[in-house]
Amino acid sequence: MGRRRGKWCLIKYIERVKAASGLVRDCEGEMMWEKLWMEFSQTARGGKLTEEAAQSQWNSWVAAVNNKTAKASNVMFDYDGPQGKLRIWVKTADKLIYRSSYMKEKEIYCEGETTKKATEEDIDKLRPELLQNHGANMSFDEIAPVLAQSGKDAFASNDGFMLDILDLQPDMQDMGEDEEPEAAAEGEKKEPDAPKVWVERDRVVSASLRAAKSQNAVFVTKGLEQLQKQEQAEKEILAEMGEKQQEHMAGELKMWRVRLEAMAICFRDKDAEALKRFIARFTSVEAADASMPDQPVRMGACPPCELYAKLKTVDALEECAGKYQNATTPQHVKDVSSMLNDYKAPLQQLLQGATRAERSIKAAREQMKRASAKQAAQENKKGQTGAKSSESPALFDQGVAAAKQIRILEPAEVGSAQVDFQVLFIVKATSIVKDVSGSVASEHDGFKATFNIGRASSKGMRASKQIPETGGGDVFEKKVQEIFKDSNKLQLQADQCEGLKKHMMTSSFGIDVGYDKVSCEPACMSALRLTLEGTRTVVMTDWLQLVGFMQRQGVAAPIPPVRQAAFLRSMSPEMLKQYMDEASLWTSTLNAGDMIYVPFGFLTGELCTVLTFGLRMPVIVKASADPNLMGSIDKKLTEAEQTLAGAKEDAVKARLTTEVSVLKELKKAMCVADAGAAPPPVAAP
């Protein structure tokens, strides 16, 4: 006698929100194939087994599987390893998890017949039914192997271990002897079968076939049009791109070419054999091991789309549509329609991929064009800036051409030639360069190294650094004394003026290539500058003559050295000509070994074409050597004090305060140096 199925009087659909917390004990494991097990077994978590012990354990598991004793040996396995290799479940961890959960649950609740006014006797009678069949096919030993083999699809369908709710109903043979089978079915009524709907088969088939052919024709036409346009676009793009650009975009171009090749085979050639060979080109790449290859993979080995293996030529669509004529039921029509969609899906992926490839290539080309245009604009701007910077100011062009040449003397001529310290002159001091360079080598070389680092980031710079008393500057001083030994108009030290001593120290100076500025000596003091290496052109003028000219041009006082230098450098050729008609402009080209004397207050414009280094030594000119010198210092002092009164920045105030102090000390030193002259009173700085 067969089993009679129960009938539920009530079915409920329930949704609930469940919050819970507690302790969960998990036993974790992993499905491992042989190579993975051998690696795992040698780790600390795997027991640090020897290779022989690990292989022996694996062989025992394989034997249990082959002998069909895996269930008895608690060995769970499947064949989902690489290339279908055997995998064994290996325990990897035991975990105790303190878990808090907030879950939304859905369930179907089936309720059987309800007994009203039930007694304890009724409950005792139903209890065996509640406990019956729960254990059948539901123990862990039964379910775990199925879960291991089925994986994520274990609950997708009833595979034989999932409990059927109807199995909870008692079998006929388990009923009491006093119960009749018909009694259990009391009140049951057979539900009538749903009436069958008659379908006009010929009409449905004809309409489906007509619609499919129309859709296929439109699909094929659009595919051919896209193929033709993209092949033409490919030719144009390759013609416009240079070899370097094609090399940079090799991946995108290869991918596009592969997709166009597949489109040509499927839509235009309709060659099934060629399509099989095309698909086979990529099958080996897809089937390769997941590890990274040792050798580079050539461009163009990537499949054209995800469903490339299911690609078919478009004539297969016509063949598939013809199967509508074989349909005899509505389900057959649905099956053919589904088959058509499956045929079209890879082709649609192919068309979409080709469109994306073309767009990405065009977008990349536009980006490269913008980058090239931006770079060209920067180069053009840089060229214009370079051309502009290469244009020398008129001071170093027309000024040098029309200025007076500075007098050049040999060392022997300095004493006998009655040197005029009111104007510039150059002494050919090549003979002292070697000795002076050697004496200051340590300090000067350090300055040169620092200067070279600085000019790498700041082009066209100029800098200087004082040489301490122990740095060898005394040798330069002695050599200068030897040259000017027959002249009693210079003093190289300020013995009685302590505030001036630190400003009388010898210093190294460096001028970078491209320097074309105008400046004056610190505190406008007189100085000797010896060029040790390099070449530069100088253009010089007296500051009093320049200030007078500026005032005649309408420039209001005070006119500090910064404004004087800017005005002189920015003079136009016409203004330079006018200035040279009213004042003096001096010029010369200084080479290594040339030592130039710079009188008090002179401004110097320098155009440096070769990296230049040298030494500077401030000097004190006796008042008797230059009748106008004391008046010039007084005017410079007045100018500095006026500028200081209007200064607002702390750095400017500090510099001007020092300059005022130096000028006052300089006046005192000049009077002390001049024999028979009494020093004038000097106010506190």
Side-chain angles (χ1 to χ4, degrees), residues 281-460:
R281 282 164 44 185
F282 310 103
T283 304
S284 58
V285 177
E286 290 289 304
D289 190 84
S291 59
M292 181 180 292
D294 296 332
Q295 300 296 328
V297 179
R298 64 178 178 83
M299 290 292 185
C302 178
C305 60
E306 183 180 358
L307 300 176
Y308 76 97
K310 297 181 180 180
L311 283 171
K312 296 184 181 298
T313 57
V314 291
D315 52 3
L317 298 178
E318 295 298 325
E319 295 177 4
C320 183
K323 293 183 180 180
Y324 278 118
Q325 297 180 355
N326 301 342
T328 58
T329 65
Q331 184 60 42
H332 294 165
V333 175
K334 292 180 180 179
D335 292 342
V336 175
S337 299
S338 178
M339 190 183 303
L340 269 174
N341 291 333
D342 292 341
Y343 281 10
K344 283 184 180 179
L347 294 171
Q348 289 172 338
Q349 270 193 4
L350 181 63
L351 295 175
Q352 293 169 359
T355 302
R356 286 197 305 271
E358 181 183 6
R359 289 176 180 173
S360 65
I361 291 172
K362 289 182 177 180
R365 286 185 64 246
E366 290 299 323
Q367 185 177 3
M368 293 172 67
K369 285 182 179 179
R370 289 194 296 269
S372 299
K374 184 177 180 180
Q375 183 178 2
Q378 291 177 347
E379 292 293 336
N380 187 29
K381 183 178 179 181
K382 184 177 180 181
Q384 292 177 354
T385 304
K388 185 177 180 180
S389 62
S390 64
E391 297 177 0
S392 300
L395 178 66
F396 300 108
D397 191 356
Q398 290 86 349
V400 170
K404 300 177 182 179
Q405 289 294 318
I406 301 174
R407 184 182 180 187
I408 300 176
L409 302 173
E410 293 293 335
E413 299 175 340
V414 173
S416 60
Q418 297 296 320
V419 177
D420 186 1
F421 285 90
Q422 300 182 62
V423 295
L424 302 151
F425 61 85
I426 298 172
V427 179
K428 286 291 185 180
T430 309
S431 59
I432 70 172
V433 170
K434 182 177 180 181
D435 293 338
V436 172
S437 298
S439 65
V440 297
S442 178
E443 293 291 335
H444 189 64
D445 290 348
F447 167 76
K448 288 171 62 177
T450 305
F451 183 81
N452 286 328
I453 294 174
R455 75 188 187 92
S457 58
S458 180
K459 300 295 184 182

Side-chain angles (χ1 to χ4, degrees), residues 30 54 128 152 185 287 464 502 519 549 580 679:
E30 184 178 350
K152 64 180 181 179
S464 63
K502 63 180 180 180
S519 61
F549 180 79
M580 285 185 286

Side-chain angles (χ1 to χ4, degrees), residues 3-77:
R3 174 181 295 182
R4 184 175 61 82
R5 297 296 183 183
K7 181 178 180 181
W8 305 106
C9 65
L10 182 63
I11 297 179
K12 296 180 181 179
Y13 173 75
I14 300 175
E15 293 189 16
R16 69 179 70 184
V17 176
K18 182 178 179 181
S21 61
L23 182 64
V24 179
R25 184 179 187 275
D26 285 344
C27 174
E28 292 188 351
E30 184 178 350
M31 301 300 293
M32 299 185 183
W33 58 297
E34 183 177 3
K35 188 174 181 180
L36 184 59
W37 156 251
M38 297 300 291
E39 292 179 356
F40 174 74
S41 63
Q42 296 177 13
T43 64
R45 189 178 293 275
K48 284 190 173 295
L49 301 179
T50 63
E51 187 174 352
E52 293 77 10
Q55 189 64 53
S56 176
Q57 178 63 64
W58 179 263
N59 293 339
S60 66
W61 289 335
V62 173
V65 173
N66 294 336
N67 298 334
K68 298 184 179 180
T69 59
K71 181 177 179 181
S73 303
N74 293 325
V75 177
M76 292 180 285
F77 65 94

Side-chain angles (χ1 to χ4, degrees), residues 654-667:
R655 179 178 59 80
L656 291 172
T657 300
T658 302
E659 185 175 329
V660 169
S661 175
V662 170
L663 290 173
K664 291 179 178 180
E665 290 286 332
L666 181 60
K667 287 180 63 178

Side-chain angles (χ1 to χ4, degrees), residues 239-257:
E240 293 177 4
M241 294 175 65
E243 293 183 1
K244 190 173 183 180
Q245 288 183 334
Q246 292 184 21
E247 182 180 352
H248 287 168
M249 300 181 64
E252 292 89 339
L253 292 172
K254 286 287 186 181
M255 175 58 73
W256 193 21
R257 176 91 295 275

